[in-house]
């Protein structure tokens, strides 16, 4: 999605949410839920319980402060991630300090846990993938996560191998462009 | 021209043969958060509407109070033909209210017969409304008066009744009708 298109779409949804439109809120929510969840999941090192707690807090803050979201300053997901960082920091003060002190005797001092290099790469790949259109996500996950051959993907999707190849080529290209941008 | 051939086993990106399992939330959690946020959104909307209504009431009350306190107000100096009608002793409701202190009126409430209590509380409300534009106090005494009037009684209005008294009675009647319809 082009930046301009993203801006007017998110601005429209924001205005509709402010007017009380629940469908508009659902559209914003569904479009960003997976990416926010994956981001928080990696930041909490895969602690499901803590990730869920933080994700819920983020969404509740987002719905209360939606008026402050400005699509001209960035995408909705970036705004959500900014909220998530603050929530992680606050949780970190309570939770990480206790946990790290208990487990390794480390004083966390309210820092967001910094992921190691491999975790960072995993996170970048996941976040890049989740930023792609759903059809690209699906074909890439089938090929590179489930490791299915093209013929099997075609059978499963009731289409031709040629169509899957074409989709896969475009999805790979989109992923590489987005990944380069994300990792600098 | 080199043919652009499709290589099925091409890595996704340099040094990236596959992708990790993407963490996904359980559908139950996803739905629960959506419901919770939607409910929060409804609450915010309700509060916003209430604030708007309160703001409008405050603006109306402020205008009313300003009008009543304005020294050269034509309404105060020369009442229109349809203006405050004389009450029992020939005075207008404003004059009557001006004449008596709320404390004086209230001192007679205790021990008085019910009808007299209603009259005194209503007069007190009138006094607060007309003299000071104090809607909150007027509302308080009007409500006390209304509590003494049985809901079964049909309320008739006098021409000198204030807008607030009429409005409270009307909403009380509507509420009564609504209750009857429901039961």
């Amino acid at each position: 999605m082009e930046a301009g298109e993203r801006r007017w779409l998110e601005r429209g949804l924001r205005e509709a949410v402010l007017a009380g439109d629940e469908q508009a809120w659902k559209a914003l929510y569904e479009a960003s839920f997976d990416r926010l969840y994956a981001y928080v999941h990696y930041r909490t090192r895969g602690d499901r319980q803590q990730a869920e707690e933080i994700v819920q807090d983020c969404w509740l803050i987002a719905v209360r402060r939606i008026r402050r979201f400005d699509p001209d300053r960035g995408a909705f997901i970036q705004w959500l991630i900014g909220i998530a960082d603050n929530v992680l920091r606050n949780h970190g003060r309570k939770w990480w300090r206790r946990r790290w002190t208990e487990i390794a005797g480390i004083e966390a001092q309210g820092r967001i846990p910094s992921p190691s290099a491999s975790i960072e790469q995993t996170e970048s790949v996941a976040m890049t993938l989740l930023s792609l259109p759903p059809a690209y996500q699906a074909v890439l996950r089938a090929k590179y996560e489930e490791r299915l051959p093209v013929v099997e993907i075609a059978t499963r999707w009731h289409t031709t191998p040629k169509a899957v190849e074409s989709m896969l080529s475009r999805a790979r290209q989109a992923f590489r462009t987005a990944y380069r941008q994300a990792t600098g | 021209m080199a043919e652009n051939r499709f290589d099925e086993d091409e890595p996704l990106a340099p040094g990236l043969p596959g992708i990790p399992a993407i963490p996904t939330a359980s559908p139950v959690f996803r739905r629960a958060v959506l419901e919770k946020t939607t409910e929060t959104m409804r609450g915010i909307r309700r509060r916003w509407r209430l604030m708007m209504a309160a703001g409008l009431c405050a603006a109306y009350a402020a205008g009313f109070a300003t009008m009543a306190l304005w020294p050269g107000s034509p309404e105060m100096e020369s009442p229109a033909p349809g203006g405050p009608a004389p009450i029992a002793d020939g005075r207008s409701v404003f004059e009557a209210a001006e004449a008596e202190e709320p404390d004086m009126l209230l001192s007679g409430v205790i021990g008085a017969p019910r009808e007299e209590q209603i009259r005194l509380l209503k007069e007190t409300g009138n006094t607060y409304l007309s003299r000071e534009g104090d809607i909150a106090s007027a509302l308080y005494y009007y409500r006390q008066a209304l509590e003494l009037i049985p809901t079964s009684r049909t309320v008739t209005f006098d021409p000198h009744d204030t807008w607030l008294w009429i409005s409270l009675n009307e909403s009380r009647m509507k509420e009564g009708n609504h209750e009857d319809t429901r039961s």
Side-chain angles (χ1 to χ4, degrees), chain A residues 10-134:
Chain A
E10 290 188 343
R11 189 178 297 118
L13 288 171
R14 174 190 176 274
E15 297 307 316
V17 170
L18 287 173
D21 189 325
E22 291 176 16
Q23 288 305 313
W25 174 249
K26 195 178 175 195
L28 275 174
Y29 179 86
E30 294 295 349
S32 309
F33 186 89
D34 287 336
R35 288 173 75 186
L36 181 70
Y37 185 84
Y39 179 80
V40 174
H41 176 91
Y42 288 118
R43 294 286 143 165
T44 54
R45 302 187 175 199
D47 185 319
R48 195 177 188 91
Q49 193 192 339
Q50 207 203 2
E52 288 188 351
E53 206 176 305
I54 289 168
V55 165
Q56 179 170 293
D57 283 358
C58 287
W59 281 110
L60 286 170
I61 292 170
V63 75
R64 288 188 196 115
R65 297 187 185 167
I66 186 76
R67 198 172 287 276
R68 297 188 197 175
F69 162 57
D70 180 0
D72 291 332
R73 291 173 65 187
F76 184 64
I77 184 65
Q78 287 160 353
W79 184 67
L80 281 176
I81 284 174
I83 293 174
D85 282 340
N86 283 330
V87 176
L88 279 158
R89 214 169 278 128
N90 290 337
H91 272 251
R93 290 196 184 101
K94 299 182 283 193
W95 200 88
W96 283 102
R97 183 182 291 133
R98 190 177 70 227
R99 189 162 194 211
W100 287 12
T101 308
E102 278 169 11
I103 294 169
I106 300 164
E107 187 60 51
Q109 295 172 343
R111 283 178 290 127
I112 297 173
S114 55
S116 68
S118 63
I119 294 174
E120 204 164 11
Q121 193 195 31
T122 306
E123 184 185 332
S124 299
V125 172
M127 295 305 284
T128 304
L129 189 76
L130 290 170
S131 72
L132 299 179

Side-chain angles (χ1 to χ4, degrees), chain A residues 18-22 25 29-30 33-34 37 41-42 48 52 56 59-60 63-64 122 125-126 129 140-141 143-145 147 149-150 165 168-169 172 175-176, chain B residues 6-26 29-38 40-42 44-45 48-49:
Chain A
L18 287 173
D21 189 325
E22 291 176 16
W25 174 249
Y29 179 86
E30 294 295 349
F33 186 89
D34 287 336
Y37 185 84
H41 176 91
Y42 288 118
R48 195 177 188 91
E52 288 188 351
Q56 179 170 293
W59 281 110
L60 286 170
V63 75
R64 288 188 196 115
T122 306
V125 172
L129 189 76
L140 289 176
R141 288 180 81 160
K143 179 69 197 152
Y144 292 99
E145 192 182 337
R147 314 259 175 192
V150 166
E165 282 179 9
L168 190 56
S169 296
R172 278 174 181 160
F175 178 88
R176 284 168 193 156
Chain B
F6 177 79
D7 176 7
E8 181 165 350
D9 299 320
E10 193 180 299
L12 185 54
L16 199 67
I19 53 174
I22 308 294
T24 47
S26 74
F29 170 70
R30 192 186 178 114
R31 206 169 40 247
V33 175
L34 177 62
E35 277 167 15
K36 212 165 188 172
T37 50
T38 309
T40 307
M41 193 177 136
R42 285 185 201 132
I44 292 168
R45 189 86 190 128
W48 181 254
R49 283 203 194 114

